[in-house]
Amino acid sequence: EAGVVQSPRYKIIEKKQPVAFWCNPISGHNTLYWYLQNLGQGPELLIRYENEEAVDDSQLPKDRFSAERLKGVDSTLKIQPAELGDSAVYLCASSLRGGGNEQFFGPGTRLTVL
Amino acid sequence: SQQGEEDPQALSIQEGENATMNCSYKTSINNLQWYRQNSGRGLVHLILIRSNEREKHSGRLRVTLDTSKKSSSLLITASRAADTASYFCATDNNDMRFGAGTRLTVKP
């Protein structure tokens, strides 16, 4: 069984440029999460989807970040425009359903903003 | 915002020794999960303990949960060099909140 797939694995951009990350969750997983992880820290939840509905986006900086999960499968996370402080690893995870289930994480996208 | 707080931040032991990591949290939870992250990799789920459980075992892992103290511990027995990684607790109260993690180094 394929795990959570993320692309790209690495991205280097200049500040003020846009960037997008893509995630393909495990087949059959209704719940999809996007996390941000800074060096030496734990993941911080940005947004959680149940199927195609964003049920928790309270931590998503909506002035520059946006996300979508069309058809309740793949998801994209976009930053426009990127700032220096956005440099981090962006992790995608999926689970069968929201609470009470283990999450399966992708390898992450390491973003460097210059 | 992060809820769980791991202690210690870093731990270095010899192969064969036991490693204990602690996690404290602030609000009520449905369950608590422990994850491992090897350097440069994604997180891997280790164990989930529900709020009505006090102890759970999985292979060389033992997790305890004390909801009255809002704390949990992860014990790894007979550690191996391959256990070298960062360990995170995550509290689940309809959303997941991770701590900053404990960096474990097991020396061969």
Side-chain angles (χ1 to χ4, degrees):
Chain A
E1 178 184 287
V4 175
V5 179
Q6 289 187 249
S7 69
R9 291 293 313 276
Y10 304 91
K11 189 73 176 179
I12 301 174
I13 61 172
E14 294 189 348
K15 63 181 180 181
K16 300 185 181 180
Q17 294 298 307
V19 64
F21 314 121
W22 175 80
C23 174
N24 178 240
I26 291 174
S27 177
H29 280 192
N30 307 95
T31 308
L32 184 145
Y33 310 78
W34 281 103
Y35 291 91
L36 175 156
Q37 185 176 26
N38 288 304
L39 187 64
Q41 298 295 314
E44 297 179 37
L45 181 69
L46 290 173
I47 190 168
R48 174 168 67 98
Y49 282 94
E50 294 288 347
N51 298 307
E52 65 272 13
E53 182 183 358
V55 295
D56 183 358
D57 63 354
S58 57
Q59 303 299 315
L60 189 73
K62 298 182 183 62
D63 56 337
R64 297 183 300 107
F65 287 64
S66 64
E68 61 181 11
R69 191 184 184 198
L70 300 177
K71 300 181 181 179
V73 182
D74 294 1
S75 178
T76 56
L77 177 68
K78 298 177 182 177
I79 309 174
Q80 182 170 12
E83 298 179 351
L84 295 176
D86 296 332
S87 294
V89 176
Y90 291 83
L91 295 166
C92 178
S94 70
S95 68
L96 282 171
R97 191 164 26 184
N101 290 294
E102 69 175 281
Q103 295 184 24
F104 294 81
F105 281 80
T109 296
R110 182 175 297 277
L111 173 67
T112 301
V113 182
L114 303 176
Chain B
S1 60
Q2 299 185 312
Q3 168 165 223
E5 190 172 308
E6 287 91 344
D7 170 59
Q9 291 184 333
L11 180 61
S12 181
I13 60 175
Q14 293 293 134
E15 206 166 29
E17 295 180 340
N18 296 341
T20 299
M21 288 158 271
N22 302 297
C23 170
S24 59
Y25 57 93
K26 298 173 184 174
T27 64
S28 61
I29 59 172
N30 296 326
N31 65 68
L32 186 144
Q33 303 182 33
W34 284 90
Y35 287 79
R36 183 188 72 225
Q37 185 176 37
N38 292 89
S39 181
R41 303 276 186 92
L43 283 80
V44 174
H45 182 266
L46 295 176
I47 200 164
L48 180 154
I49 186 165
R50 302 194 186 283
S51 59
N52 61 352
E53 297 177 311
R54 292 297 168 258
E55 188 171 309
K56 207 161 183 181
H57 297 255
S58 177
R60 294 183 295 113
L61 306 181
R62 172 178 169 253
V63 168
T64 62
L65 179 64
D66 187 335
T67 53
S68 66
K69 295 181 179 178
K70 292 187 171 56
S71 67
S72 174
S73 67
L74 170 67
L75 169 67
I76 304 174
T77 60
S79 65
R80 306 167 181 168
D83 294 329
T84 294
S86 291
Y87 292 81
F88 298 91
C89 69
T91 54
D92 188 347
N93 186 20
N94 296 321
D95 58 28
M96 292 284 282
R97 294 289 185 261
F98 285 81
T102 292
R103 174 73 188 161
L104 174 66
T105 301
V106 181
K107 301 175 184 176

